[in-house]
Amino acid sequence: MTDQQQMIAACLFSRHHDGFERQNQLEKILSFKNVYPWVLPYVIRLSGEYVKEILHVIYDNRRRLDTEELNRFLLDNPVFHQLIESRVISYWNAYYREEYPDRSTYIGTKIIQFYREAFYD
């Protein structure tokens, strides 16, 4: 398969029911030399996950995302943007509140902050 075909397959499998598989596909997506703009919705969608390891992969690779494309996508999709932010807060409250009493230290919140910075630049 070409790089683009592999990227398409990785995006589709990033919605797999198994969190380990989602993480594996995300790592594949972010390992490609060229992260296509159409990949952003898949990465952003994974930002709303409860699996902390997935969130760490996104945060550790955030600089690989084109902030101009990210900003454009978030501007064009405010409802989706708000949904992801709501999920991050909800999962923090349900699963990680005791581990991270200060929500700003939670990895999901750090990702949302990165998106907001891209959004307001």
Side-chain angles (χ1 to χ4, degrees):
M1 288 195 297
T2 67
D3 280 354
Q4 190 171 23
Q5 290 169 331
Q6 290 178 47
M7 183 75 79
I8 291 168
C11 286
L12 293 174
F13 282 107
S14 74
R15 302 309 318 138
H16 197 275
H17 66 88
D18 183 332
F20 292 111
E21 187 60 33
R22 289 194 304 274
Q23 180 181 351
N24 183 38
Q25 297 305 320
L26 173 63
E27 289 169 351
K28 282 183 187 176
I29 290 167
L30 295 172
S31 73
F32 281 93
K33 184 176 180 182
N34 181 16
V35 177
Y36 300 95
W38 48 264
V39 170
L40 282 173
Y42 295 93
V43 175
I44 294 170
R45 175 80 164 95
L46 288 168
S47 303
E49 290 275 339
Y50 63 91
V51 181
K52 192 168 52 170
E53 292 79 7
I54 290 174
L55 300 178
H56 279 286
V57 171
I58 294 169
Y59 189 75
D60 293 345
N61 290 280
R62 67 192 179 280
R63 300 291 175 218
R64 294 195 38 77
L65 303 176
D66 183 332
T67 54
E68 188 175 309
E69 290 295 331
L70 179 62
N71 183 28
R72 185 171 325 167
F73 179 79
L74 295 174
L75 277 171
D76 290 345
N77 299 281
V79 174
F80 182 65
H81 184 194
Q82 184 57 51
L83 174 68
I84 297 303
E85 285 196 17
S86 296
R87 285 184 176 170
V88 167
I89 293 167
S90 178
Y91 286 133
W92 165 78
N93 186 48
Y95 300 111
Y96 299 110
R97 187 179 204 121
E98 287 184 24
E99 187 176 348
Y100 302 95
D102 177 4
R103 190 176 78 210
S104 67
T105 62
Y106 173 56
I107 191 68
T109 305
K110 291 179 182 181
I111 294 169
I112 294 304
Q113 184 59 36
F114 171 72
Y115 292 162
R116 285 181 180 166
E117 289 168 5
F119 186 72
Y120 293 115
D121 271 352

